[in-house]
Amino acid sequence: IVPKDIRLGAPGPPPRPKRPQAAGMWRPDAGPCVAQVEAWGEHADDVEYMRQLKAMPKRIMKRRELVIKDSDLEKAVKKQGKVSFSIACWGLSEYSKSSGLGEDAASIIQVFYESKDERKVLNAFSSVGVDLEAAEAVPVDTESSMQHEQEIMYSKESLFIQDNLIYEEGPPMSTEELKKRFKM
């Protein structure tokens, strides 16, 4: 004997209620769940930060730029604690005219210092065999857009800032120059 509910032609379970359409769930705008961000400088925290930044003293600096061998740079950096100066450094590729492999590796550096420390800085570099005086001293613009310059001017201690990238100076070397340099 077959139960009455299972026999053919008998009504089945009651129909399921229809789900709401998924389209009603999606809309083109993000809605209230996404934070509305104010433009830079309009938020109260931004205004307070700018006020604090303007209140901080900025050092008036001079800058000298030169190409230096990495071995000499290491010696100069050791003088940083005794003499007040900061360095920004960009490594040069071995294919650059002023650089090479191993002991010949070089970097472009910018040395920053205050005018009152100029003689001490020049003496520190000359003691490691670098003629820093040959590079022209340029005043650093206090409104500079360069991030490393702003960091150095606001910092109270000496900084060493090194770029992670490698750069090639000047036009590329000719094939003959490369063969001569790498003894090929």
Side-chain angles (χ1 to χ4, degrees):
I1 296 185
V2 178
K4 187 176 179 183
D5 296 341
I6 300 181
R7 287 182 274 165
L8 291 175
R16 288 187 183 175
K18 291 214 172 204
R19 284 186 171 171
Q21 294 259 340
M25 193 166 104
W26 302 103
R27 59 178 184 240
D29 64 325
C33 63
V34 177
Q36 300 301 317
V37 180
E38 294 180 37
W40 168 253
E42 293 177 10
H43 192 271
D45 292 343
D46 298 340
V47 173
E48 175 63 17
Y49 173 75
M50 292 305 293
R51 188 190 65 70
Q52 287 178 354
L53 201 58
K54 287 179 181 175
M56 288 176 65
K58 233 187 223 187
R59 297 188 297 168
I60 306 301
M61 313 286 292
K62 284 186 178 180
R63 175 187 70 222
R64 292 180 188 250
E65 184 174 312
L66 69 151
V67 176
I68 184 174
K69 296 285 182 196
D70 288 349
S71 56
D72 292 336
L73 177 60
E74 289 174 20
K75 295 175 195 170
V77 168
K78 290 179 183 174
K79 303 273 185 179
Q80 262 189 317
K82 301 165 193 132
V83 181
S84 179
F85 65 92
S86 294
I87 296 177
C89 176
W90 296 270
L92 289 173
S93 159
E94 61 268 13
Y95 301 107
S96 296
K97 292 186 188 274
S98 301
S99 188
L101 295 170
E103 286 296 314
D104 293 330
S107 298
I108 297 174
I109 65 166
Q110 290 180 340
V111 181
F112 297 85
Y113 56 88
E114 292 180 88
S115 293
K116 64 181 175 110
D117 298 323
E118 185 167 27
R119 185 53 36 207
K120 292 177 190 174
V121 173
L122 294 175
N123 289 339
F125 274 84
S126 65
S127 71
V128 296
V130 176
D131 185 17
L132 185 61
E133 207 161 356
E136 179 187 0
V138 178
V140 179
D141 180 13
T142 56
E143 301 299 319
S144 172
S145 62
M146 305 299 278
Q147 182 180 354
H148 70 279
E149 291 180 353
Q150 290 295 327
E151 286 178 26
I152 290 170
M153 285 188 284
Y154 278 118
S155 175
K156 292 179 181 171
E157 65 264 352
S158 298
L159 298 179
F160 180 78
I161 300 172
Q162 185 164 17
D163 195 327
N164 293 331
L165 301 176
I166 302 293
Y167 295 88
E168 189 168 338
E169 83 178 317
M173 296 172 67
S174 68
T175 307
E176 294 78 33
E177 290 173 312
L178 288 171
K179 285 181 179 179
K180 184 178 176 185
R181 172 173 282 177
F182 298 115
K183 298 173 178 107
M184 296 173 78

